[in-house]
Amino acid sequence: MPVWSMRLQRSALIHLVMGATLGAWLLAAGSTGLTLPYDRLMAAHGELLLVGWLLQFTMGVAYWMLPKHAAGDSRGPAGPIAAAWLLLNGGVLLAVVGQTIDGATGIVAAGRLAEAGALAAFAANAWPRIKPFGAGR
């Protein structure tokens, strides 16, 4: 398995643990009568699980499973994948922090912009590797 695929998947599992822990804490707090900012914490919970875990795990599997190049580096240059990993994790961090702070829509917007940049960087690496079935290497 390629190194960047492992990094994406390991980071995704970290986000899964953090998101599940936050969700369990929110569920337990509801039964104890604690007053929490549920709307903001639920948004952070969703961000961790949908973008941090699901999207990142999908990117890691796609990077690993897409067809290899016939010549040169088999999976293309590592720069776009490294940028995608950094932008996605930084974007999730910014979005989670921005969602937990009241009135920090600029931080959330910066996080979303970083996540969009991560998708663009991943697409730049993956697009040349997508071929019709039977086209060969």
Side-chain angles (χ1 to χ4, degrees), residues 61-115:
V61 171
Y63 180 70
W64 176 35
M65 297 299 292
L66 283 173
K68 298 177 184 176
H69 291 297
D73 192 12
S74 63
R75 288 183 170 82
I81 292 299
W85 182 77
L86 285 170
L87 286 169
L88 187 65
N89 286 298
V92 169
L93 178 67
L94 283 173
V96 166
V97 167
Q99 288 165 347
T100 57
I101 298 171
D102 193 23
T105 56
I107 297 174
V108 176
R112 299 276 191 246
L113 191 61
E115 292 166 358

Side-chain angles (χ1 to χ4, degrees), residues 29-137:
S31 66
T32 61
L34 280 173
T35 55
L36 295 173
Y38 281 104
D39 54 342
R40 293 194 305 249
L41 292 176
M42 283 299 289
H45 170 69
E47 184 79 25
L48 285 168
L49 291 179
L50 290 176
V51 180
W53 171 58
L54 190 60
L55 179 63
Q56 190 160 207
F57 192 80
T58 303
M59 287 170 57
V61 171
Y63 180 70
W64 176 35
M65 297 299 292
L66 283 173
K68 298 177 184 176
H69 291 297
D73 192 12
S74 63
R75 288 183 170 82
I81 292 299
W85 182 77
L86 285 170
L87 286 169
L88 187 65
N89 286 298
V92 169
L93 178 67
L94 283 173
V96 166
V97 167
Q99 288 165 347
T100 57
I101 298 171
D102 193 23
T105 56
I107 297 174
V108 176
R112 299 276 191 246
L113 191 61
E115 292 166 358
L119 289 175
F122 181 79
N125 179 274
W127 192 258
R129 295 172 56 193
I130 299 172
K131 305 172 198 166
F133 181 74
R137 291 177 64 134

